Amino acid sequence: MVADPASYGFETRAIHVGQEPDPRTGAVIVPIYQTSTYAQDGVGGTREGDYEYSRTANPTRTALEQALAALENGKHALAFASGMAASDAVLRVALRPGDHLILGNDVYGGTFRLIDKVLTEWGVNYSIASLGDLDEVRSAMRPETKLIWCESPTNPLLGIADIAALAELAHVGGAKLVVDNTFATPYLQTPLELGADVVVHSTTKYLGGHSDVVGGAVITNSDELRERLFFLRNSAGAVPSPFDAWLTLRGLKTLGVRMERHCSNAELIAETLSKHPKVDRVYYPGLAEHPGHSLAAKQMRRFGGMVSFTHVDGEQAALDVASRTKLFILAESLGGVESLIEHPGRMTHASVAGSLLQVPGELLRLSVGIEDAHDLLEDLRSALDAS
Ligand SMILES: *Cc1c(COP(=O)(O)O)cnc(C)c1O
């Protein structure tokens, strides 16, 4: 690639950045560099590319990182062994004992657990706020607030936060804004361009896209943060394997086309569900009645592939639907080509039961896949009609 990657469109960057044909063999696809170590030219002298040990760096991982940075329009990307490892690194680099952070009231359950159960033991304090309400966030800010941790859309209620406004609010208070961009993906939303300081991803979800790999990433424009994250990752070792990096890179190539289809299918399903007599409320930012609709239309390209809804007849009826669908597989996780259904209260969000983050029992969450939309609608209809 001779041109500046930023001058290419999204799909071109996904397929080409960091992925030039292998200079030695001409292999069109970046090889899986399944090696732990690298020959050195002399004591202390690495060969070109300065690889010396694969915890520190590996060429397959480097390719993935270059592509990820280009997709988020960021300067630096670091790949991690999981989304939680990526989040953990950001939290540990940004916070010291006595520091405070603000979390959204439907932050990913694993992130909440990490902060609530692990970080608090190291003297870090947190407050929960509805990030859609800027006044609430402003009044949660303290002199020692160092981070605002934002998801938009949120999980599982698909709330929308104003990323640009949160970034400004954070910066006025001397804090940084982290955006977990897992649900939107860089195809739909690029938080660094809206003023965020750090983007984190669970690449396990849409970026990998095929439910066959667990991974995470951090993207930032800050040279200083990148150095500190790199140092921590090399010290603590939460790196993805070369094969995992390769699978994620392969998934990335089709992110744009997959997201278009995820969005189209989800829009149709959200509209159809909102008219079904067994459905009480549909949570999807693409619906005009969603409170975050106009904000989502402003900061996102489309509205994503996640849809949640409540059953009119309560929790047991919702559980029945989740066990009756055939194409929608009953499983945790999201973002793969296949559609999934889950009951957040008893599955993904069981760990937040009894806390401020508790979700309604009659709620179901769909990760709408890229199958034939008619088949997906029929599957949901027959499960709902029987409930
Ligand atoms: C899955 C997920 C994570 C955690 O990522 P893992 O790859 O499972 O460690 C973090 N944030 C969000 C929004 C997620 O969906």
Side-chain angles (χ1 to χ4, degrees):
M1 291 242 313
V2 271
D4 172 13
S7 70
Y8 287 111
F10 188 90
E11 291 86 348
T12 312
R13 281 177 274 145
I15 293 167
H16 290 290
V17 174
Q19 302 167 76
E20 289 82 12
D22 181 53
R24 195 166 68 82
T25 63
V28 165
I29 296 303
V30 174
I32 303 166
Y33 285 92
Q34 193 67 47
T35 187
S36 60
T37 190
Y38 306 82
Q40 305 197 5
D41 277 346
V43 175
T46 52
R47 295 187 185 181
E48 66 177 292
D50 42 64
Y51 291 101
E52 56 187 40
Y53 187 61
S54 279
R55 172 162 30 76
T56 314
N58 174 280
T60 314
R61 198 202 307 162
T62 304
L64 170 63
E65 292 173 339
Q66 288 174 351
L68 285 168
L71 293 185
E72 286 286 359
N73 286 326
K75 201 165 161 195
H76 309 291
L78 288 163
F80 284 84
S82 69
M84 288 322 304
S87 300
D88 173 59
V90 170
L91 291 163
R92 276 200 278 159
V93 157
L95 300 168
R96 291 291 169 272
D99 286 347
H100 172 257
L101 79 159
I102 298 172
L103 302 172
N105 61 359
D106 53 358
V107 65
Y108 176 72
T111 307
F112 177 70
R113 179 174 58 195
L114 175 64
I115 292 165
D116 180 58
K117 297 281 191 290
V118 181
L119 282 195
T120 53
E121 299 215 319
W122 295 90
V124 168
N125 305 302
Y126 69 89
S127 304
I128 304 253
S130 166
L131 299 188
D133 182 342
L134 293 172
D135 289 332
E136 198 179 318
V137 180
R138 203 172 287 113
S139 52
M141 290 287 287
R142 302 179 191 169
E144 64 274 20
T145 304
K146 293 290 160 56
L147 281 188
I148 298 177
W149 191 280
C150 165
E151 289 170 33
S152 184
T154 61
N155 175 24
L157 295 175
L158 288 308
I160 301 294
D162 187 335
I163 295 174
L166 282 176
E168 203 181 308
L169 207 155
H171 296 158
V172 166
K176 288 189 163 54
L177 177 68
V178 179
V179 175
D180 180 335
N181 205 27
T182 300
F183 268 41
T185 82
Y187 182 72
L188 300 178
Q189 162 178 292
T190 43
L192 296 179
E193 294 183 306
L194 297 168
D197 301 280
V198 179
V199 165
V200 302
H201 274 287
S202 169
T203 57
T204 312
K205 317 294 169 52
Y206 289 104
L207 302 196
H210 296 75
S211 305
D212 54 11
V213 61
V214 169
V218 181
I219 300 99
T220 181
N221 286 323
S222 158
D223 296 340
E224 191 221 332
L225 266 179
R226 190 263 172 200
E227 280 319 302
R228 295 174 61 202
L229 286 162
F230 185 89
F231 182 83
L232 177 62
R233 186 185 62 177
N234 191 39
S235 305
V239 292
S241 73
F243 184 51
D244 287 358
W246 185 88
L247 277 173
T248 308
L249 190 59
R250 182 165 84 156
L252 269 193
K253 289 175 190 280
T254 55
L255 180 61
V257 289
R258 283 187 287 109
M259 289 316 293
E260 284 294 334
R261 181 63 169 258
H262 282 296
C263 292
S264 298
N265 283 357
E267 281 163 22
L268 187 65
I269 283 172
E271 279 181 20
T272 309
L273 284 177
S274 65
K275 293 178 204 122
H276 196 284
K278 293 284 172 68
V279 173
D280 185 20
R281 190 162 162 202
V282 179
Y283 299 82
Y284 185 66
L287 294 174
E289 62 266 31
H290 186 284
H293 177 68
S294 57
L295 183 55
K298 196 174 83 181
Q299 71 186 14
M300 298 173 75
R301 189 199 296 240
R302 293 184 71 178
F303 304 101
M306 301 300 295
V307 178
S308 294
F309 65 97
T310 48
H311 198 294
V312 284
D313 296 330
E315 178 160 15
Q316 190 52 52
L319 291 167
D320 288 348
V321 171
S323 58
R324 278 206 188 97
T325 53
K326 297 195 167 61
L327 287 176
F328 278 87
I329 300 166
L330 180 60
E332 298 196 359
S333 198
L334 60 114
V337 291
E338 63 289 307
S339 293
L340 304 178
I341 188 167
E342 68 115 1
H343 183 268
R346 300 223 184 160
M347 295 169 66
T348 50
H349 290 63
S351 68
V352 296
S355 79
L356 280 170
L357 284 75
Q358 185 165 343
V359 294
E362 62 276 22
L363 186 78
L364 291 170
R365 187 189 79 181
L366 305 175
S367 172
V368 179
I370 65 170
E371 300 95 332
D372 182 287
H374 175 78
D375 294 336
L376 295 180
L377 280 176
E378 272 315 299
D379 190 36
L380 285 173
R381 249 193 226 118
S382 60
L384 277 166
D385 290 347
S387 69

